[in-house]
Amino acid sequence: MKKTYKIDVDCANCANKMEVAANKTDGVKEATVNFMTLKMKVEFEDDADPQTVMQEVLKNCKKVEDDCEIFF
């Protein structure tokens, strides 16, 4: 399953850090962050619950960029 989320991030470097953190999260098959559109596209593993996984993605992203937000 693939979903797109609106994000709030201050710079392209921070967006890149968020992308790396999201891709390291269990349940995420692939994540891409586009700083220009302020969107994160996430493809989930087949057995993953998107809501639960996105809560973990947000926690992991806040570890590398504490003022980022993901709206889901």
Side-chain angles (χ1 to χ4, degrees), residues 11-57:
C11 68
N13 187 45
C14 300
N16 186 54
K17 289 179 183 178
M18 287 179 66
E19 183 175 301
V20 170
N23 276 300
K24 290 181 179 178
T25 305
D26 289 338
V28 173
K29 187 181 272 187
E30 181 181 16
T32 57
V33 175
N34 186 319
F35 174 67
M36 296 301 288
T37 62
L38 294 178
K39 300 221 186 248
M40 175 186 282
K41 292 183 181 180
V42 180
E43 182 176 356
F44 298 96
E45 297 288 344
D46 293 335
D47 60 343
D49 174 44
Q51 187 71 20
T52 304
V53 172
M54 287 308 296
Q55 290 173 359
E56 290 302 311
V57 167

